Amino acid sequence: MRITSITARAVDCGFNSQKLQTSRVASPMSRFARFAESRASWMWPTKKVFVRVTGEDGSTGWGCTNGGEIVEMIVNEHLSRLLVGEDPGDLALLNDQMAASLLPNDRSGFAMMAVAGVDIALWDLTAKAAHQPLVEVLGGAESASLPVYMTTPHPEAFSGGPFHGLKAAAPYGPESGEEGLKANVALMRRFTEAAGEGVPIMIDSFLAWDADYTLRFAEAVSDLNVKWIEDPIHPQDFEGLQKVRREMDPSIALALGNFAFSRADCADLLRSGVVGVLQPDVAWAGGITEALRILDTAEAAEVPVILHNTCEQPWALALAAARQSDALVECVDRDETSPLYELMAPRPDLSSGRVATPRDPQGNRPPAFVREAFGPAPKDSKEG
């Protein structure tokens, strides 16, 4: 079977209207007053990018990533012409070809998001052709469900709940001085109270801090059950990260890799010796094919992996279930009406603090408003 078409569409799914975007959350832009009060004021293109791959037998695979119109253009104007006519039987080869074609001029997140969107769609096409759920194509899973930790701006909503950790988004960075630091610490005390005894809390700093500020924060929360600090400083500031790791309480891990967009990026972090938890995003870091390589690299380094934003990505859940032992996955608390939970599969039930291992042989299924953005399906397609 040959690939007959690859098409991407950027679709507004309401990402920039969620509370984590519209409230004060620290970011690399916090030091600029104009952009400090909300991520939505400066965020990169936030439309979700859906990718449809069609085979010559009419079968259809779907992928989804981020990056808006930039990633849409990379897929439609560049990657599609490389892969149309190719046999999707060797997904590693196709992934390598896509990444290599972008290497001379772009190794950014946008480039690897584009690769990821196509790669995820190709895996979906492969699983559907085999009449199996993706988790079986990846080797199968023993567990029927996976434990979930929750990233939320509303810790009290999960007070006494069954989740395996609560994570905050830091509202302030060094630009807010001592008062901002005190507010960050107070937030952690709120999370501690909501989480309850024995439940870890975490904080995502979203590249907004520096090494000294991170150390000051860690010292100020030394009496709390803080499991990790996530992405506190520039991901390539290895000297700063090593200073933090050397001087910070060893019981607090550094969770890194959300902004590592390839196996090479992750390998650099792992070689630095600072990573306590590696957290790549499958839809940003080259897709399922590259994520498999990242998992192997992390296993060799004996560093645990938690795939970023897992519960919105059925393929990430399948990877965690099939390729990780003792996996922990993340759910980001959007809001009750957000469509982001069900862009490729039905909204997961998290009431038990666990999420079901996805086993639907129909694979990725975007909602009607996404399919409508593509217009009519290619002739003779078996779109699903």
Side-chain angles (χ1 to χ4, degrees), residues 111-164:
M112 294 307 286
M113 286 174 189
V115 172
V118 176
D119 183 82
I120 292 164
L122 288 169
W123 276 93
D124 186 47
L125 187 74
T126 299
K128 288 171 178 172
H131 304 290
Q132 290 186 317
L134 176 63
V135 71
E136 296 301 326
V137 176
L138 290 169
E142 295 182 3
S143 177
S145 64
L146 299 165
V148 177
Y149 84 82
M150 182 66 68
T151 297
T152 179
H154 308 291
E156 291 80 10
F158 302 95
S159 180
F163 291 95
H164 297 251

Side-chain angles (χ1 to χ4, degrees), residues 83-141:
L83 268 61
V84 167
E86 293 281 347
D87 185 337
D90 189 339
L91 297 181
L93 174 63
L94 297 185
N95 189 282
D96 286 345
Q97 288 177 352
M98 288 190 286
S101 75
L102 293 162
L103 182 64
N105 57 21
D106 196 348
R107 294 174 292 283
S108 71
F110 290 126
M112 294 307 286
M113 286 174 189
V115 172
V118 176
D119 183 82
I120 292 164
L122 288 169
W123 276 93
D124 186 47
L125 187 74
T126 299
K128 288 171 178 172
H131 304 290
Q132 290 186 317
L134 176 63
V135 71
E136 296 301 326
V137 176
L138 290 169

Side-chain angles (χ1 to χ4, degrees), residues 265-275 278 294 297-299 301 303:
D265 284 353
C266 290
D268 284 344
L269 282 172
L270 293 169
R271 277 193 295 269
S272 73
V274 301
V275 184
L278 188 68
I294 291 169
T297 302
E299 183 179 12
V303 172

Side-chain angles (χ1 to χ4, degrees), residues 283-328:
W284 296 0
I288 296 168
T289 300
E290 189 76 345
L292 287 167
R293 296 161 173 164
I294 291 169
L295 287 170
D296 288 344
T297 302
E299 183 179 12
E302 300 182 337
V303 172
V305 174
I306 300 175
L307 297 172
H308 176 252
N309 195 17
T310 338
C311 287
E312 292 175 26
Q313 302 181 44
W315 48 86
L317 290 174
L319 269 169
R323 295 299 181 100
Q324 292 184 267
S325 58
D326 302 320
L328 178 66

